[in-house]
Amino acid sequence: MTVPGLPMAVPSRDLPTRVRIHEVGARDGLQNEKATVPTEVKAEFIRRLADAGLTTIEATSFVHPKWVPQLADAEALFPTVADLPVALPVLVPNERGLDRALGLGARRVAVFASATESFAKANLNRTVDEALAMFEPVVSRAKAASVHVRGYLSMCFGDPWEGAVPIPQVVKVCRALLDMGCDELSLGDTIGVATPGHVVALLAALDEAGVPPTALGVHFHDTYGQALANTLAALQQGVTTVDASAGGLGGCPYAKSATGNLATEDLVWMLRGLGIDTGIDLGRLVATSTWMASQLGRPSPSRTVRALSHEDTEEH
Ligand SMILES: CC(C)(COP(=O)([O-])OP(=O)([O-])OC[C@H]1O[C@@H](n2cnc3c(N)ncnc32)[C@H](O)[C@@H]1OP(=O)([O-])[O-])[C@@H](O)C(=O)NCCC(=O)NCCSC(=O)C[C@@](C)(O)CC(=O)[O-]
């Protein structure tokens, strides 16, 4: 697909020159679909994302299949994409998940904690502390096997049961995950309620507690249309890893108010305008999301996908 009228690149001195996009569409996106997507379609989706230039593509989750039936095919899927020349992180909640992932040769895993008790219970059937205790052997065994570990932290801004989440509560769990040995953290705005001022305040508090922006990724959902504004605020504070989901797929099965993630295409469009290199072919990415939307039987919510897949801009 030819992309018409790309934005003029106007670099800004207070922004990074390169951003790493951590693509979560195949995991966070598809885990929340009502219909279960066939394994071959997931594999094709991941291959197309790699072909579009994404270098970190979260592939699946080794969680209990009854908790997330949409990803119950992790064992069948992972080996079919394992040879791609990209990083393929997978979620593992516990040692059972780690064993399954390591058994298939996964080199990057992610544990996923919660800043709130309500979501820890709903998502992991544990208190916050019990969940951290569950992750400890996962992280230490993964590190011993030279496997990269990401630590997600959900509900960093607001929680559907508890409301606004106090910043010190978030800082405490972030510190615990880093002290445990996680290589990087991802701050999840699981239900998409964050606003830029809150992002800046949280990043400042984390920095003060010894968690620098270079150790962090940001993971925004776009429920209230704030995901791009929040991302820009995070970039201005020195964050260089941004999670996004092709076509804006996504949500979380254990937080009903979680809607789609920040769309990767919307992010790439903004970064291009800011003169920030991502190495992504936007035309191929839009074509991938348009193809995935046709597999799911509904249009992509991404504004950029919609604008660029309009019939006058279809392949020339
Ligand atoms: C953590 C558990 C397993 C606890 O669930 P539990 O019911 O407390 O499990 P358990 O530890 O009591 O074990 C019960 C049985 O499950 C088995 N089991 C135990 N673990 C596994 C496993 N890994 N794979 C396969 N089987 C497993 C285990 O072997 C045992 O089998 P039995 O002995 O009875 O036959 C469960 O709560 C779970 O799987 N939760 C995952 C929920 C999830 O995936 N949520 C979505 C991801 S988080 C997210 O999307 C947010 C994020 C990351 O995107 C960021 C953001 O936006 O905020």
Side-chain angles (χ1 to χ4, degrees), residues 57-210:
I57 304 173
E58 212 165 82
T60 187
S61 285
F62 291 92
V63 296
H64 195 297
K66 281 197 193 130
W67 282 65
V68 184
Q70 294 88 339
L71 303 183
D73 61 351
E75 262 84 4
L77 173 68
F78 193 81
T80 68
V81 293
D83 61 334
L84 287 169
V86 297
L88 293 166
V90 293
L91 263 58
V92 294
N94 52 18
E95 287 193 89
R96 173 97 172 80
L98 181 70
D99 290 337
R100 292 170 60 201
L102 293 183
L104 294 172
R107 302 302 305 153
R108 282 178 174 249
V109 298
V111 293
F112 44 103
S114 169
T116 65
E117 293 295 345
S118 305
F119 188 64
K121 187 76 191 156
N123 200 40
L124 294 160
N125 199 23
R126 301 282 186 281
T127 64
V128 169
D129 286 344
E130 285 166 353
L132 290 171
M134 176 168 75
F135 300 146
E136 243 172 48
V138 175
V139 178
S140 63
R141 283 183 50 205
K143 296 308 302 165
S146 304
V147 165
H148 182 277
V149 184
R150 164 175 259 226
Y152 273 109
L153 185 60
S154 291
M155 305 295 173
C156 288
F157 298 91
D159 171 286
W161 301 278
E162 299 180 22
V165 180
I167 286 177
Q169 197 171 313
V170 179
V171 172
K172 189 172 159 216
V173 189
C174 281
R175 267 267 42 117
L177 286 168
L178 269 193
D179 292 345
M180 205 182 280
C182 288
D183 296 291
E184 66 171 7
L185 303 183
S186 172
L187 303 176
D189 179 20
T190 318
I191 56 169
V193 292
T195 50
H198 195 163
V199 172
V200 171
L202 176 59
L203 290 171
L206 283 166
D207 204 14
E208 206 164 298

Side-chain angles (χ1 to χ4, degrees), residues 200-234:
V200 171
L202 176 59
L203 290 171
L206 283 166
D207 204 14
E208 206 164 298
V211 185
T214 46
L216 295 170
V218 285
H219 181 106
F220 294 117
H221 287 252
D222 207 21
T223 322
Y224 293 90
Q226 305 293 298
L228 268 183
N230 290 334
T231 301
L232 182 58

Side-chain angles (χ1 to χ4, degrees), residues 174-301:
C174 281
R175 267 267 42 117
L177 286 168
L178 269 193
D179 292 345
M180 205 182 280
C182 288
D183 296 291
E184 66 171 7
L185 303 183
S186 172
L187 303 176
D189 179 20
T190 318
I191 56 169
V193 292
T195 50
H198 195 163
V199 172
V200 171
L202 176 59
L203 290 171
L206 283 166
D207 204 14
E208 206 164 298
V211 185
T214 46
L216 295 170
V218 285
H219 181 106
F220 294 117
H221 287 252
D222 207 21
T223 322
Y224 293 90
Q226 305 293 298
L228 268 183
N230 290 334
T231 301
L232 182 58
L235 297 177
Q236 284 165 338
Q237 303 308 306
V239 170
T240 56
T241 299
V242 180
D243 298 2
S245 161
L249 293 168
C252 177
Y254 292 100
K256 290 299 168 217
S257 34
T259 56
N261 288 79
L262 167 63
T264 313
E265 293 83 355
D266 298 2
L267 174 63
V268 171
W269 184 271
M270 179 181 81
L271 293 177
R272 215 170 250 242
L274 292 166
I276 299 175
D277 185 19
T278 60
I280 288 168
D281 180 326
L282 187 56
R284 279 189 193 177
L285 183 57
V286 168
T288 298
S289 291
T290 309
W291 169 81
M292 194 64 214
S294 73
Q295 298 292 321
L296 296 171
R298 56 183 167 70
S300 159

